[in-house]
Amino acid sequence: MVRVLLKPKHLGLYRDIGILLVKHRRSAAGLATDTEGADRDSEAARRDAESLADELERMGPTFVKLGQLLSTRSDLLPPVYLDALARLQDRVAPFGFEEVEAIVTAELGVRLSKAFARFESTPLASASLGQVHRAELRDGRPVVVKVQRPNIRTQIVDDMDAIESIAEFADAHTETGRRLGFVDMVAEFRRSLMAELDYRQEAANLVTLGQNLERHPNIVVPQPVPDYTTRVVLTMDYIRGRSVGALGPLAMMELDGPALARELFSAYLDQILVDGFFHADPHPGNVLVTDDGKLGLLDLGMVARVAPEIQDSLIKLLLAVSQGEGRNAADIAIRLGHKLDDYDGDAFRREAAALVVRTENSKMGELQAGALIGELTRVSGECGLRLPAELTMLGKAMLNLDEVTRTLDPAFDPDAAIERDASELMRRKLVQSASPGNMIAAAIEAKQFAEHFPDRLNRLMDTLAEGEMRLKVEGIDEENLMRGVQKLANRVTAGMVIASLVIGAALIMRIPTSAQLFGYPAIAIVLFLVAAASAAWLLVSIQFRDLPQRGRRR
């Protein structure tokens, strides 16, 4: 029996989370299983989902981040909840400039007036983890300074302890917890959140992404100032511009929106499928249109990495989806995922194929690559297939990317973009595999093979000469196989005997004889009766012995 201890100091937090679960479980479950009911009560469902988002905001920064994470889990929540949680914003009042000055001074070891030529006291933006101030270095370089909230790390650690306790309780006492593994989800969430609290990690992310996107001249990534960056203070370039979400019709007329949308989408395909490192939160507020008509990517606290062995499968999956090959896409997803106890492969293939066909038949303006990946994740969860976390993060990133590209170019077609860039992606993957590091590793393996080959060949030849070579083949049940072959041989032999009796009786029928039965030669009639009885026995045996066994094997 598994016991989970809930800490007394978290009782108030447990109560709040419990109220949320009880309040929204029925609505979410009903929507997830009853589409017609969801359509009838869509307005009530939307209000419930918005209420959940508001309550998570009220509970603090940890739960805002948790809600944003849940917005990527289409296998857990219905679409109306995903939409509401995806719009969660860190609307938090800024903390005082005196605290900002004290934190920056303590971290940098120098007064603001010495480190900066100018430091604005009013923040540009304020979020749950920190706030951003505009400043200028002594050499005239315009920068922004991101300062972490006082004691926020302690609050988040405390909240995460409570969330982990509830996850352990759910895994130990609920079927849903055992199937989905909430403890693993929360552990991954903790790692992501703690990494976001270390601004040195975000600075490293800025450097990495900036280097990876050098081949895209219209994509700009602000670079950090290492000497002015610590665990709780991040100083980086200031990019002048407006967020994509704030652009009006007149501003859009001055931009080459289609070209920017194509380059941004191509840059994300490069990040995900070639570099294996991508900005996981490209919502319109994190993508700027700069004053010189380029795109700037901000806030790299949330990034994701894709292992090389998964990248190739993702390329094939996106190509299969873009070309409308539903069955192929389902097979690739199955190879990527982890099969649970209630896995139903046939159902998943049917649902995935139908999903891809519906997408293929959609109008160009309705195509959304991120929504499709989210739906694929939802279908896989219903069919007992757990897709990797990388695919979930990819779905979230591309869902936000869909919104940005649609703003820049309402006619943007992601399927056409994927097909257009596929050959270039494969070329770059091949070039990447031929890198000096990979070539050196291959050369070392070839050297080791050449060194050990003579000794292994000698041992093989000695084994052959002494007659000790053995070949072991597994994978079939020889006993059952021989039993089946013997039964088949018996059936064939019996059939041949019956056929011989019939043919013999027919031949004897033409021979005149005084011994007759029913007006025919008696021996011929006896042979016919024996053949008929044997045939009847054989049919009954097949019906009642062979067929039920075959059904049981199935």
Side-chain angles (χ1 to χ4, degrees):
M1 180 178 177
V2 180
R3 299 182 62 189
V4 179
L5 298 179
L6 303 182
K7 300 178 181 179
K9 69 175 182 177
H10 294 143
L11 288 180
L13 195 52
Y14 294 145
R15 182 201 62 225
D16 292 343
I17 298 175
I19 291 173
L20 283 181
L21 292 175
V22 172
K23 180 177 179 181
H24 296 281
R25 180 176 64 88
R26 180 175 299 174
S27 176
L31 282 171
T33 58
D34 183 5
T35 305
E36 294 181 1
D39 292 338
R40 288 193 303 269
D41 302 328
S42 59
E43 184 59 30
R46 186 191 62 79
R47 287 196 300 269
D48 285 342
E50 294 293 344
S51 172
L52 174 62
D54 293 341
E55 288 163 337
L56 288 173
E57 283 186 349
R58 177 185 58 80
M59 293 173 70
T62 311
F63 295 91
V64 170
K65 296 294 182 181
L66 180 61
Q68 292 172 346
L69 173 68
L70 289 174
S71 71
T72 69
R73 297 305 301 260
S74 54
D75 55 333
L76 298 179
L77 295 172
V80 65
Y81 275 77
L82 300 178
D83 292 340
L85 295 177
R87 290 192 291 270
L88 272 173
Q89 299 296 324
D90 297 339
R91 293 187 289 267
V92 181
F95 56 96
F97 182 69
E98 295 79 8
E99 290 181 291
V100 171
E101 185 173 16
I103 293 172
V104 175
T105 300
E107 289 293 319
L108 301 185
V110 63
R111 294 198 307 272
L112 287 184
S113 58
K114 296 292 185 181
F116 301 93
R118 182 171 58 87
F119 196 104
E120 294 184 359
S121 59
T122 303
L124 284 174
S126 178
S128 57
L129 300 185
Q131 61 191 39
V132 177
H133 292 258
R134 187 176 173 184
E136 184 179 302
L137 298 181
R138 282 290 178 181
D139 60 3
R141 178 180 176 183
V143 295
V144 292
V145 182
K146 188 175 181 180
V147 184
Q148 195 171 108
R149 285 185 176 274
N151 303 318
I152 190 65
R153 176 180 290 269
T154 302
Q155 178 185 345
I156 287 178
V157 168
D158 208 41
D159 290 344
M160 286 305 307
D161 287 343
I163 294 173
E164 284 180 343
S165 297
I166 293 174
E168 291 172 0
F169 183 86
D171 281 4
H173 296 89
T174 68
E175 180 60 32
T176 302
R178 284 187 287 270
R179 185 170 67 88
L180 296 176
F182 291 127
V183 169
D184 292 339
M185 294 184 195
V186 172
E188 181 63 30
F189 175 54
R190 175 188 276 270
R191 284 192 293 269
S192 173
L193 195 52
M194 298 311 292
E196 198 169 347
L197 286 172
D198 189 344
Y199 288 168
R200 295 169 299 186
Q201 184 62 51
E202 183 173 351
N205 294 339
L206 290 169
V207 172
T208 300
L209 189 64
Q211 293 172 347
N212 291 345
L213 295 183
E214 286 179 350
R215 54 187 172 274
H216 295 280
N218 290 321
I219 307 295
V220 180
V221 179
Q223 293 301 291
V225 182
D227 293 338
Y228 288 72
T229 297
T230 68
R231 185 176 60 83
V232 297
V233 174
L234 171 60
T235 305
M236 56 187 163
D237 294 331
Y238 172 63
I239 298 179
R240 299 177 183 272
R242 288 176 293 174
S243 69
V244 170
L247 293 177
L250 292 179
M252 290 300 303
M253 292 178 63
E254 299 174 357
L255 292 174
D256 187 357
L260 289 177
R262 287 194 301 272
E263 184 153 7
L264 180 62
F265 196 84
S266 176
Y268 263 84
L269 291 180
D270 278 351
Q271 291 177 54
I272 296 164
L273 303 176
V274 178
D275 302 323
F277 175 87
F278 64 95
H279 181 206
D281 195 23
H283 65 75
N286 282 343
V287 181
L288 294 185
V289 176
T290 65
D291 291 348
D292 56 354
K294 298 181 179 180
L295 293 178
L297 299 181
L298 306 181
D299 192 2
L300 263 74
M302 184 182 294
V303 297
R305 288 173 169 81
V306 183
E309 58 271 16
I310 295 180
Q311 289 177 357
D312 293 341
S313 295
L314 287 180
I315 292 176
K316 291 188 287 187
L317 176 63
L318 291 176
L319 281 174
V321 168
S322 67
Q323 294 170 1
E325 299 175 358
R327 288 281 178 173
N328 190 20
D331 290 338
I332 296 168
I334 289 171
R335 290 194 292 271
L336 275 172
H338 171 67
K339 299 174 184 176
L340 304 176
D341 292 338
D342 58 347
Y343 168 68
D344 187 343
D346 292 337
F348 176 69
R349 287 185 176 90
R350 285 195 304 271
E351 293 292 332
L355 175 63
V356 172
V357 169
R358 287 199 303 271
T359 303
E360 188 179 20
N361 294 333
S362 300
K363 297 178 182 178
M364 183 177 295
E366 298 173 351
L367 291 174
Q368 289 191 333
L372 176 61
I373 293 175
E375 278 294 297
L376 191 65
T377 304
R378 180 189 62 79
V379 168
S380 69
E382 292 176 353
C383 297
L385 181 69
R386 185 184 297 170
L387 294 179
E390 291 91 342
L391 199 60
T392 301
M393 294 298 291
L394 172 62
K396 171 183 169 55
M398 296 197 74
L399 193 62
N400 286 326
L401 194 62
D402 285 335
E403 186 176 356
V404 174
T405 54
R406 201 74 67 201
T407 302
L408 295 171
D409 179 14
F412 182 74
D413 182 0
D415 284 351
I418 291 171
E419 293 185 25
R420 182 181 61 246
D421 292 346
S423 59
E424 176 62 18
L425 286 171
M426 292 309 300
R427 186 193 67 79
R428 294 194 54 229
K429 289 289 290 181
L430 290 173
V431 171
Q432 186 184 61
S433 64
S435 65
N438 289 337
M439 296 298 290
I440 292 173
I444 291 174
E445 290 180 2
K447 169 181 170 292
Q448 292 174 344
F449 175 78
E451 288 176 347
H452 295 291
F453 180 73
D455 179 56
R456 291 172 179 170
L457 183 59
N458 284 335
R459 279 186 285 155
L460 175 62
M461 298 305 294
D462 290 341
T463 304
L464 285 173
E466 296 171 5
E468 296 179 355
M469 175 67 73
R470 294 181 180 179
L471 182 63
K472 186 177 181 181
V473 179
E474 297 182 355
I476 59 174
D477 189 337
E478 295 87 350
E479 185 178 351
N480 283 336
L481 178 62
M482 292 306 298
R483 212 169 17 240
V485 171
Q486 186 177 17
K487 183 179 292 186
L488 176 62
N490 291 340
R491 295 287 186 266
V492 172
T493 302
M496 293 177 64
V497 170
I498 293 171
S500 300
L501 291 174
V502 172
I503 294 172
L507 292 174
I508 294 174
M509 193 73 70
R510 302 174 61 87
I511 301 175
T513 178
S514 58
Q516 292 189 346
L517 189 62
F518 305 120
Y520 296 98
I523 190 169
I525 293 299
V526 171
L527 292 177
F528 272 128
L529 291 176
V530 172
S534 300
W537 172 82
L538 183 61
L539 291 175
V540 170
S541 176
I542 291 173
Q543 180 67 30
F544 291 99
R545 292 186 182 178
D546 295 350
L547 294 183
Q549 289 178 6
R550 185 176 62 182
R552 284 194 295 270
R553 284 194 296 271
R554 286 179 181 172

